[in-house]
Amino acid sequence: MHGAFVLLAMLVLAPALEWLPMAALGAILVRVAWTMADVPHVVGMLRRSPRSDVFVLLACFGLTVVFDMVWAVTVGFVLAALLFMKRMADLSGATLHQSGTPDGFHLPDGVMVYDINGPLFFGAAEKAMDALRRVSAPPAVMIINLTHVPAMDATGLVGLENALTDLRQSRVVLVGLQSQPRVVLARAGLLTRPELTVVDSLREGLDLARRWVARTP
């Protein structure tokens, strides 16, 4: 309906537009631009938003004025993507447990639990796998808890493969694989490795590790 009304107005009222003063059309354009700018919203963002978001906003604004909207949208999209990756990397983390877990599980000698929180993707995988490289002596059993890892990309896959290579002297148990990471690991062939075992819960992984440690001289 809106499009049909605009088309009708163009066909019927076009001859009358030449009688409108340019100053009046300029005022209309200024009013439309002011309304589209949503100044109260912008002011609120400048006052309350994090500095990184304010930087993206000002960068898009400046590029629109200096160049054009195509450049502003392109650069703004890239900046927003980089900011998102940084925030996800900040949220992601990992903790190595050598004597007990926060859930109250006691770890026998020779068993360690490595908890990973957050998505394993570009920017966060290196940070998440860093603690494994600092293990001086590989344990008999390393339990890698992926319960809180909702997603994994190629970078996370490579990081996990490198960690498994470093732990080649240990038996590795993957705990709590969610659907997307499970598909990624299955396509890479990691789930069929003989030194790797996949279980659903941390309790199940610890029971399996205790049996292995008890049978090891």
Side-chain angles (χ1 to χ4, degrees):
M1 293 298 296
H2 189 189
F5 177 80
V6 172
L7 177 61
L8 181 62
M10 290 177 60
L11 295 176
V12 176
L13 301 178
L17 289 180
E18 64 183 24
W19 295 96
L20 286 177
M22 295 297 293
L25 291 178
I28 293 175
L29 290 176
V30 170
R31 173 61 182 172
V32 171
W34 180 266
T35 304
M36 291 177 60
D38 198 0
V39 175
H41 173 70
V42 174
V43 173
M45 284 193 62
L46 294 176
R47 289 178 177 176
R48 297 189 299 268
S49 298
R51 293 182 178 179
S52 54
D53 291 331
V54 173
F55 172 75
V56 174
L57 172 65
L58 295 179
C60 292
F61 177 80
L63 290 173
T64 303
V65 175
V66 176
F67 297 101
D68 55 39
M69 188 172 290
V70 175
W71 275 101
V73 171
T74 303
V75 175
F77 185 87
V78 173
L79 290 176
L82 294 175
L83 178 61
F84 171 77
M85 288 189 290
K86 180 183 180 302
R87 286 176 174 171
M88 289 296 100
D90 291 340
L91 290 176
S92 300
T95 307
L96 182 64
H97 305 288
Q98 303 186 45
S99 58
T101 68
D103 299 331
F105 293 109
H106 173 71
L107 300 182
D109 293 337
V111 178
M112 295 183 184
V113 174
Y114 191 57
D115 278 325
I116 302 177
N117 296 303
L120 278 177
F121 75 113
F122 174 77
E126 189 71 19
K127 175 184 176 182
M129 294 299 172
D130 185 59
L132 281 179
R133 299 188 182 95
R134 296 198 299 266
V135 177
S136 56
V141 181
M142 174 64 78
I143 299 176
I144 302 179
N145 189 2
L146 302 176
T147 304
H148 302 292
V149 178
M152 177 187 299
D153 69 353
T155 308
L157 175 62
V158 172
L160 185 58
E161 287 180 326
N162 292 336
L164 294 178
T165 301
D166 296 336
L167 295 170
R168 56 186 174 273
Q169 298 178 357
S170 307
R171 303 196 67 170
V172 180
V173 181
L174 295 185
V175 172
L177 272 178
Q178 299 189 34
S179 57
Q180 194 272 347
R182 182 181 292 271
V183 171
V184 173
L185 296 181
R187 288 178 178 175
L190 262 68
L191 300 185
T192 58
R193 288 190 178 184
E195 73 276 10
L196 187 65
T197 305
V198 179
V199 297
D200 294 329
S201 66
L202 181 58
R203 183 185 297 276
E204 185 179 355
L206 287 173
D207 291 340
L208 191 61
R210 291 189 182 98
R211 292 197 297 269
W212 285 341
V213 172
R215 290 199 299 262
T216 303

